[in-house]
Amino acid sequence: MMQPVTTTDHVSANYRYIAAYNEVNARIGQRQHALSLYITLVVGLIAALVASKRVEEPNTLFIGWLVYGFSIASV
């Protein structure tokens, strides 16, 4: 008598959990990278705002061009 051959693949549950864990870590890494990029852009724009302060005219700041930078960074 011949035994029937089954061709179903069984994946261990351990490998499924490892794959899900790796996917979650990859997504967290992408979010952290996007957040650090946003923070870097905003801090750079704030530094440019501080650096653009003129000594001759202490009450005026040239922020017209920085407004576009903040809106682009927020997008």
Side-chain angles (χ1 to χ4, degrees):
M1 291 195 141
M2 295 185 73
Q3 294 180 353
V5 177
T6 59
T7 60
T8 58
D9 293 331
H10 294 286
V11 178
S12 174
N14 189 26
Y15 292 114
R16 290 181 188 168
Y17 291 125
I18 290 173
Y21 178 77
N22 287 337
E23 184 178 350
V24 167
N25 280 338
R27 289 182 183 198
I28 289 172
Q30 289 174 347
R31 288 181 184 145
Q32 286 179 345
H33 181 68
L35 181 62
S36 66
L37 181 64
Y38 173 73
I39 289 172
T40 302
L41 288 172
V42 169
V43 169
L45 288 169
I46 291 172
L49 178 66
V50 171
S52 70
K53 185 176 182 181
R54 297 183 183 184
V55 179
E56 302 87 26
E57 302 169 7
N59 294 332
T60 60
L61 290 174
F62 183 68
I63 62 169
W65 59 276
L66 286 174
V67 173
Y68 298 114
F70 282 110
S71 61
I72 291 172
S74 295
V75 169

